[in-house]
């Protein structure tokens, strides 16, 4: 009998790692409601942090154009998947924070497996979200997907489209 790999049965190594990091950051107070910033009621500029090729970007831009075509948008392009993605996303957040061009930021990516969304389960990224002076909305994955970035953000939306809806008031209602 030759055994090449052995895995513990259960929820899986990645999910266990996610739970450990979530517990650690929660105990540090990173997810505390008292730290959450209010979203602006009437933003003049919305920053979008995602990949230029992402379907999520098209969804967000379409929603913002329909709801509030008068609001300016700025894209801070970054990878949203892969080994270096977490650091690139954190860097894009810090860049947006330094420039102070936007009133609110949307960090978004479409759905995928736990592995596809893993870049959003990073301590450095969570710290970048919490230290950013600009309120942040996450729209990562689909409704049932939760990431560390979602817990750190000021507001979590179940999808990228819903993040755009939270960021901008509907012009026809105004």
């Amino acid at each position: 009998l030759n055994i090449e790999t052995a895995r513990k049965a259960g929820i899986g190594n990645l999910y266990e790692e996610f739970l450990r990091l979530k517990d650690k950051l929660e105990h540090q107070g990173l997810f505390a409601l008292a730290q959450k910033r209010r979203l602006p009621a009437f933003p003049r500029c919305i920053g979008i942090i995602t990949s230029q090729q992402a379907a999520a970007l098209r969804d967000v831009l379409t929603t913002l154009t329909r709801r509030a075509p008068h609001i300016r948008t700025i894209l801070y392009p970054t990878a949203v998947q892969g080994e270096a993605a977490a650091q690139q996303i954190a860097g894009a957040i810090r860049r947006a924070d330094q420039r102070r061009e936007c009133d609110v930021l949307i960090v978004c990516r479409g759905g995928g497996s736990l592995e596809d969304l893993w870049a959003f389960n990073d301590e450095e990224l969570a710290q970048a979200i919490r230290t950013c002076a600009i309120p942040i909305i996450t729209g990562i994955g689909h409704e049932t997907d939760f990431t560390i970035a979602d817990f750190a953000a000021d507001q979590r939306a179940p999808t990228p489209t819903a993040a755009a809806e939270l960021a901008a008031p509907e012009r026809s209602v105004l």
Side-chain angles (χ1 to χ4, degrees):
L1 176 66
N2 292 328
I3 298 173
E4 293 182 19
T5 60
R7 274 186 32 196
K8 185 168 84 173
I11 59 176
N13 294 338
L14 273 183
Y15 192 67
E16 287 177 358
E17 189 177 332
F18 166 82
L19 291 176
R20 277 193 299 274
L21 181 58
K22 181 179 178 264
D23 189 51
K24 173 186 171 185
L25 297 178
E26 195 165 30
H27 279 90
Q28 290 177 4
L30 203 70
F31 307 148
L33 289 177
Q35 290 192 30
K36 306 286 182 176
R37 295 166 295 249
R38 297 187 77 186
L39 302 180
F42 303 103
R44 292 180 309 262
C45 183
I46 297 172
I48 305 166
I49 297 174
T50 194
S51 169
Q52 285 181 289
Q53 294 79 30
L57 176 59
R58 288 190 303 280
D59 293 345
V60 167
L61 291 174
T62 299
T63 302
L64 291 175
T65 300
R66 177 178 36 84
R67 289 178 67 87
H70 60 283
I71 297 177
R72 191 168 60 100
T73 58
I74 296 175
L75 175 65
Y76 299 92
T78 183
V80 292
Q81 186 173 333
E83 275 188 42
Q87 290 75 31
Q88 288 182 30
I89 298 163
I93 290 170
R94 287 191 288 270
R95 208 166 32 259
D97 192 30
Q98 288 171 345
R99 291 182 183 173
R100 300 284 164 96
E101 302 166 301
C102 303
D103 302 306
V104 64
L105 297 173
I106 297 173
V107 176
C108 62
R109 185 210 190 278
S113 67
L114 179 62
E115 292 84 357
D116 292 338
L117 302 178
W118 194 250
F120 296 95
N121 293 318
D122 181 84
E123 185 171 357
E124 178 188 345
L125 175 57
Q127 296 289 351
I129 289 170
R130 287 299 350 130
T131 58
C132 181
I134 304 167
I136 295 177
I137 303 169
T138 54
I140 301 163
H142 296 301
E143 295 193 24
T144 58
D145 297 319
F146 280 86
T147 66
I148 297 298
D150 291 320
F151 292 109
D154 298 295
Q155 181 79 46
R156 177 205 176 255
T159 64
T161 299
E165 290 172 350
L166 287 171
E170 191 166 3
R171 187 171 77 169
S172 63
V173 172
L174 294 176

